Every structure is written in C-alpha cells, then in structure tokens.
Amino acid sequence: MEHLLHLDRTLDELDPPRWTLPDSGVTRLMERVHALRRVPLRELGPGDLRMLVTQQVALPYVVPLAVRLLLEEPLLDASFYEGDLLLETVRLPDAVWAVLPDLGVRLSAVVAALPEAAVAELPSGAAEQFGRFVAGFGARR
C-alpha cells in the first residue's frame, strides 16, 4: 500500500491548509474532527477513521488507512456496529475511487467475498450498497 506514507505526520501537515481551531459553539462532532486533523496518522484508530470517512475529510490520506484495516477485517466494528467502517467507506463518491482505483479494486474483492449471512445482519440497504460498489469495479479488474 504505497499510499501509506508519512504515518508520523498529521492531516493538517499533509492536507493543507491547516485548519484553524474551531469556533466556540460548534458541535462536538466538528470539535472532534478538528482535533483528529492534529493526530499523527499512525495513531488514528478505527473509530477515528470512520468519523473522518463519514465527514469526507482528507480522503486521499484517510481511505488508504481505512482500507488497510478493512482488508484484514472487513466487518470491523469501528464505532457503532460490525461493518460500520466498511459501509461508510463503500458509500464514498466515485471521485474518491477514481483517485485510488487500486484500493477500490482490492476492497471490492473483499466485499464480493463477504458471506451473505454476515451482510444480512448489517443495516437495511447494506447489501445494495455493497452490490453497487462491487459492480463499479467489475470493469476495472
């Protein structure tokens, strides 16, 4: 995964411009996202990655980290339920995968291999999301 460079650096360093401190009165979510931009990449946990993916923050740096985890454990429970990081990652816009096509192909193979029983236990619509994601990479293999 050649995209996993500079793990000792932060998103603020890698994804300019640096974000200023959030204004008072912002939501806890936005406070947390701002704080995560100042954490070295190697210290970001699954829940942190899920939050950054969901908020679509610095995706060229965050998606490779998320995919690395998902290739090892696709149904990882990052924050709320088994498979939450995977589901948020496959929901990303096609433009993200256009920049990271090799990761998309690798992740689509993992998604395609998921047991039906495991997918059935995920939130409603997950199977359809996975199907769309895998279909989007069918021609790229």
Side-chain angles (χ1 to χ4, degrees):
M1 294 216 155
E2 64 280 354
H3 300 285
L4 298 178
L5 303 174
H6 311 297
L7 293 176
D8 57 329
R9 298 181 66 194
T10 68
L11 293 173
D12 264 355
E13 293 170 316
L14 295 168
D15 183 46
R18 288 179 185 262
W19 287 15
T20 60
L21 293 175
D23 296 328
S24 62
V26 299
T27 64
R28 283 187 162 190
L29 171 64
M30 288 316 301
E31 284 178 355
R32 182 72 182 136
V33 169
H34 276 258
L36 289 174
R37 287 189 52 93
R38 295 186 304 274
V39 173
L41 295 183
R42 78 173 74 260
E43 295 177 21
L44 294 172
D48 302 330
L49 294 173
R50 187 201 160 281
M51 183 178 292
L52 291 166
V53 165
T54 303
Q55 296 302 309
Q56 298 189 16
V57 174
L59 293 176
Y61 301 100
V62 173
V63 169
L65 296 171
V67 170
R68 179 176 66 169
L69 292 177
L70 294 169
L71 292 177
E72 293 177 19
E73 189 179 346
L75 297 177
L76 171 73
D77 180 345
S79 296
F80 301 113
Y81 54 86
E82 286 187 357
D84 58 353
L85 178 58
L86 179 61
L87 193 53
E88 292 300 329
T89 303
V90 302
R91 287 178 177 161
L92 288 171
D94 290 342
V96 172
W97 300 111
V99 175
L100 302 166
D102 55 326
L103 294 180
V105 168
R106 291 177 70 189
L107 187 58
S108 71
V110 168
V111 170
L114 288 173
E116 270 186 54
V119 173
E121 292 183 19
L122 295 174
S124 176
E128 292 79 14
Q129 289 282 331
F130 290 160
R132 278 192 290 277
F133 182 75
V134 170
F137 286 96
R140 300 181 200 189
R141 291 182 191 187

